[in-house]
Amino acid sequence: MKNTTLNDVTSCLSDYDPDALPVRHAQRIINDFITPVSAIEKVALRSALDRVLAADIISPISVPAHDNSAMDGYALRGADLSESSATTLKAIATVYAGRPSGIVPQPGECVRIMTGGVMPEGCDSVIPQEHVGSIGETTITITPGTIRTGDNRRFAGEDLLAGSAAIAKGKIIRPADLGLIASLGIAEIPVMRRLRVAFFSTGDELRSIGEPLEAGCVYDSNRYTLFGMLTRLGCDIVDMGIVRDDPAALEQALRTACENVDAVITSGGVSVGAADYTKQIMAELGDVTFWKIGMRPGRPLAFGRINSNGKSAFLFGLPGNPVAVMVSFYFFARAALLRMMGAEAPQLLVKVKSAGALRKKPGRTEYQRGILSTNEHGEQQVRITGSQGSGILRSMSEANCMVVLHDEQGNVAAGHMVDVILFEGLA
Ligand code: AMP
Ligand code: MG
């Protein structure tokens, strides 16, 4: 059985301090408390793109099914090749891909073969057409040393053997996986059901697009970044709009969300401001803890599970500042949501040279907005985008990666290596 209360989880950490929690502790507590959803659905192969595979894919066939040629050329018996003088072979037939010939060349004979053509029995090597010394009417001549036995022959089962696991459960299906599964002739696969995630913004100062911006107000941007990040993760989303800093409205919104989704994400109201009723209501609705995390941007974070009318949902109360929302989402909520989806998707840090010197206080994790580029010497380097204030979305928009400066790190000198995580990959 899983840990049932947050207290069970946090008591495993000897030096647990909610008011000075290292990033890695918060990540671990969240990971240990989260439980994956269990429902599975079968979908047509194309619909599985970006979904989480719910069971291992076992290959029903070997791929390729037959030994075949990797080149357009001539299939031959390696034993016929002379090491000291030219070898002349009689070309007795032509084999096309998809049309097995049944031909069995005898010693001294060869077969013209196309890429993917099934290797005739007895042949073990293919000389590419362009490497043949001379091609006559019915013979070819091969110069010594142009080919070794076994060259350009693809073996049956070289990609996959029948009965072996082609893809492990938990993998997020990418284009290559679609192709691999198609190569096995499988039309439908089991995937985890989509996660349902509700989110809303809190704050009396927030206005939605289309509303006039009164003095002292700001447009709500968090619901848009959250929309983007959750959609990219493949969640079914419920945008609950803006909720006023009002206890009854907050309670109603949290209850409605809780009764309808797997996870609820809020932004704002989790620090110590006077109008921040959010924490109080969250605490009343379930098992929720409030952290001050050793990080920048970010710091306040609410996490736990709330209950309403017999239903429960995991809760992430993110800070209000627009960049803090994104960083808290990327480094806490994202991994938790992936875990809820049953996905195996580690975050990959890569080391890159820092173009400039970076100021960094030891004792907290800093996530700086970076631009990874190639300098005039052709080397990869990262530089920090403009102002790193936690409300400055523009520098987040300009960035293509986050520079992760770990707890123990201090100032970084120009030219030293730092960890970065890219916003975009290939797939
Ligand atoms: P809070 O955590 O509620 O104290 O909010 C911190 C800062 O973030 C304040 O300046 C808020 O105005 C701003 N903020 C909170 N929520 C949003 C939002 N949804 N969109 C843009 N700014 C926000
Ligand atoms: Mg607020």
Side-chain angles (χ1 to χ4, degrees):
M1 185 54 198
K2 280 287 300 178
N3 289 304
T4 46
T5 68
L6 267 170
N7 197 39
D8 293 336
V9 177
T10 55
S11 61
C12 299
L13 291 169
S14 55
D15 50 354
Y16 174 65
D17 177 359
D19 287 326
L21 194 64
V23 165
R24 64 183 182 283
H25 287 189
Q27 288 169 334
R28 192 175 134 194
I29 294 166
I30 293 171
N31 181 70
D32 289 353
F33 191 62
I34 286 288
T35 47
V37 299
S38 51
I40 289 173
E41 60 197 34
K42 274 216 150 193
V43 296
L45 185 51
R46 285 192 183 93
S47 308
L49 184 63
D50 294 335
R51 302 289 299 270
V52 179
L53 185 63
D56 291 352
I57 300 279
I58 305 295
S59 180
I61 55 171
S62 286
V63 182
H66 310 276
D67 288 9
N68 67 83
S69 173
M71 301 292 263
D72 292 329
Y74 292 83
L76 50 85
R77 299 161 172 273
D80 282 344
L81 297 168
S82 163
E83 280 175 24
S84 51
S85 57
T87 303
T88 297
L89 299 173
K90 187 171 176 217
I92 59 165
T94 300
V95 176
Y96 296 92
R99 283 191 255 156
S101 63
I103 288 166
V104 186
Q106 297 306 300
E109 293 180 343
C110 68
V111 163
R112 181 151 186 249
I113 194 166
M114 305 305 148
T115 303
V118 173
M119 287 292 280
E121 201 183 312
C123 292
D124 53 15
S125 321
V126 173
I127 180 161
Q129 201 160 302
E130 59 274 25
H131 291 174
V132 176
S134 64
I135 300 176
E137 194 81 355
T138 56
T139 59
I140 61 165
T141 302
I142 301 166
T143 318
T146 39
I147 168 178
R148 285 163 313 170
T149 299
D151 279 357
N152 304 312
R153 171 202 197 174
R154 296 195 289 222
F155 285 95
E158 168 179 291
D159 198 348
L160 265 177
L161 274 180
S164 64
I167 308 179
K169 163 185 176 173
K171 180 134 203 290
I172 296 178
I173 300 293
R174 296 180 304 119
D177 303 313
L178 291 183
L180 179 57
I181 296 166
S183 76
L184 306 179
I186 297 173
E188 271 192 340
I189 60 168
V191 294
M192 305 298 291
R193 78 158 168 79
R194 279 188 201 281
L195 212 59
R196 285 175 61 77
V197 182
F199 57 95
F200 59 83
S201 299
T202 68
D204 287 342
E205 77 282 24
L206 302 180
R207 292 294 176 271
S208 291
I209 299 174
E211 292 176 352
L213 200 60
E214 293 137 54
C217 292
V218 293
Y219 281 120
D220 175 6
S221 58
N222 292 345
R223 269 163 54 231
Y224 289 83
T225 48
L226 283 169
F227 161 85
M229 295 186 293
L230 288 165
T231 301
R232 280 280 175 91
L233 267 191
C235 300
D236 273 344
I237 54 174
V238 184
D239 181 344
M240 297 181 62
I242 296 169
V243 177
R244 280 169 297 119
D245 288 317
D246 163 71
L250 283 164
E251 175 167 353
Q252 190 51 52
L254 281 171
R255 283 187 180 278
T256 305
C258 174
E259 290 167 23
N260 289 289
V261 298
D262 304 300
V264 184
I265 298 183
T266 65
S267 72
V270 290
S271 54
V272 291
D276 293 343
Y277 304 107
T278 321
K279 290 168 74 170
Q280 179 196 325
I281 308 292
M282 286 175 175
E284 283 168 17
L285 288 180
D287 188 11
V288 180
T289 180
F290 301 91
W291 290 328
K292 289 196 185 79
I293 300 178
M295 67 186 291
R296 201 176 135 127
R299 210 164 105 88
L301 187 81
F303 170 67
R305 188 161 43 198
I306 53 171
N307 307 294
S308 183
N309 288 323
K311 299 272 179 65
S312 82
F314 288 99
L315 173 76
F316 299 88
L318 308 183
N321 274 309
V323 180
V325 165
M326 294 193 74
V327 167
S328 310
F329 181 91
Y330 282 140
F331 295 97
F332 298 109
R334 183 177 179 276
L337 296 174
L338 285 168
R339 182 163 156 69
M340 288 181 76
M341 294 177 201
E344 300 288 339
Q347 276 186 342
L348 296 178
L349 293 173
V350 291
K351 288 216 182 295
V352 182
K353 198 177 271 190
S354 176
L358 305 178
R359 285 168 61 87
K360 159 71 171 59
K361 256 199 198 158
R364 68 184 185 199
T365 302
E366 288 189 15
Y367 298 97
Q368 302 202 3
R369 289 143 251 179
I371 297 178
L372 183 64
S373 62
T374 305
N375 68 16
E376 67 274 22
H377 308 297
E379 299 164 335
Q380 296 280 314
Q381 61 166 28
V382 64
R383 68 185 163 79
I384 300 305
T385 60
S387 165
Q388 298 290 305
S390 66
I392 314 236
L393 259 185
R394 180 168 156 209
S395 53
M396 195 68 173
S397 165
E398 283 170 0
N400 61 13
C401 66
M402 300 241 71
V403 178
V404 182
L405 300 171
H406 303 279
D407 279 18
E408 62 288 355
Q409 269 180 288
N411 291 338
V412 176
H416 280 214
M417 305 298 273
V418 287
D419 279 339
V420 307
I421 183 160
L422 289 170
F423 287 151
E424 305 282 346
L426 252 189

